Amino acid sequence: MKPIKEVTSVIAPLERANVDTDQIIPKQFLKRIERTGFGKYLFYHWRFDDDGSEKTEFILNKPEYQGTEILVARENFGCGSSREHAPWALGDYGFRVVIATSFADIFYNNCLKNGILAVQLPAEQIEELLAAGKEKPLKVTVSLEKETIETEDGVTYSFTTDPYRREMLLNGWDEIALTLQLEDKISEYENAQA
């Protein structure tokens, strides 16, 4: 995984609550077995008409939000089924950070395990970010090291992350990489058992 220390980007204000995993990545696109290639299907029914043309009013189809790495939404983001494809689609699209009032537990853990920082903020702070980001493209810096979100307008929000997950994200480790750090001890144990 790519380490996350600090991410600076215009935010994509997704003014929706209860965004379920089928909205994030519809079920018809889950036939792939690799983790890549899902980004083009992210929010598919919100981004595209039945004929495949872009819906110009959807936030991610607007030119000023192209290349964004930070998504902001309301409560209960990632609810629904526990498909790991949802964070894969977000990451493949280019999102490194998702900020919301709350997340479905399985989705939240899947984000962290797949290198996406999921940040929870109180509802009033989310509404401030959404309003500012809708008014104009708003650039923010999310610092996992400092556990802060700082807007280009000078507003700062604080958040906390589980220390274990924070260290994993800061170093770009998944659980396999963490296990491989103990490779010498594992080999030593295996040799002693032989």
Side-chain angles (χ1 to χ4, degrees):
M1 293 188 320
K2 187 175 176 184
I4 297 179
K5 295 183 186 326
E6 188 174 280
V7 177
T8 300
S9 171
V10 167
I11 64 168
L14 185 67
E15 297 179 290
R16 299 181 189 222
N18 303 309
V19 176
D20 71 41
T21 53
D22 193 53
Q23 292 163 324
I24 296 170
I25 181 76
K27 63 187 174 305
Q28 67 265 32
F29 302 116
L30 304 183
K31 298 173 186 163
R32 305 172 61 90
I33 56 170
E34 56 278 337
R35 294 181 180 203
T36 59
F38 291 102
K40 60 187 167 189
Y41 307 118
L42 179 70
F43 301 125
Y44 190 82
H45 296 297
W46 293 344
R47 286 173 56 206
F48 302 103
D49 286 321
D50 290 340
D51 65 2
S53 59
E54 285 188 354
K55 295 179 180 180
T56 55
E57 73 279 359
F58 187 65
I59 195 74
L60 296 182
N61 292 337
K62 295 181 179 185
E64 59 268 33
Y65 298 101
Q66 297 299 303
T68 180
E69 297 180 80
I70 302 170
L71 180 70
V72 180
R74 292 189 170 111
E75 70 274 1
N76 202 24
F77 191 84
C79 58
S81 66
S82 61
R83 62 185 68 159
E84 198 168 13
H85 299 77
W88 292 352
L90 287 162
D92 193 59
Y93 186 84
F95 287 112
R96 307 213 46 229
V97 179
V98 179
I99 304 169
T101 311
S102 61
F103 297 91
D105 287 342
I106 293 172
F107 174 83
Y108 179 81
N109 286 316
N110 282 338
C111 279
L112 299 174
K113 288 179 180 184
N114 286 282
I116 297 173
L117 174 60
V119 175
Q120 292 182 262
L121 289 180
E124 59 275 7
Q125 293 178 359
I126 290 293
E127 292 306 319
E128 287 173 14
L129 278 172
L130 288 170
K134 188 174 180 189
E135 182 181 317
K136 67 175 175 103
L138 178 70
K139 188 178 280 189
V140 305
T141 298
V142 177
S143 171
L144 181 54
E145 291 179 310
K146 296 186 233 175
E147 295 186 312
T148 59
I149 300 167
E150 187 172 341
T151 73
E152 64 184 332
D153 300 329
V155 178
T156 302
Y157 305 104
S158 297
F159 64 91
T160 57
T161 309
D162 172 76
Y164 171 76
R165 294 291 182 201
R166 183 173 177 266
E167 183 178 0
M168 299 279 280
L169 290 169
L170 283 169
N171 290 291
W173 298 333
D174 60 13
E175 287 158 337
I176 294 171
L178 192 61
T179 302
L180 290 175
Q181 292 180 16
L182 303 171
E183 193 170 13
D184 291 344
K185 292 184 187 243
I186 293 168
S187 294
E188 183 180 305
Y189 173 80
E190 288 174 341
N191 291 335
Q193 301 305 310

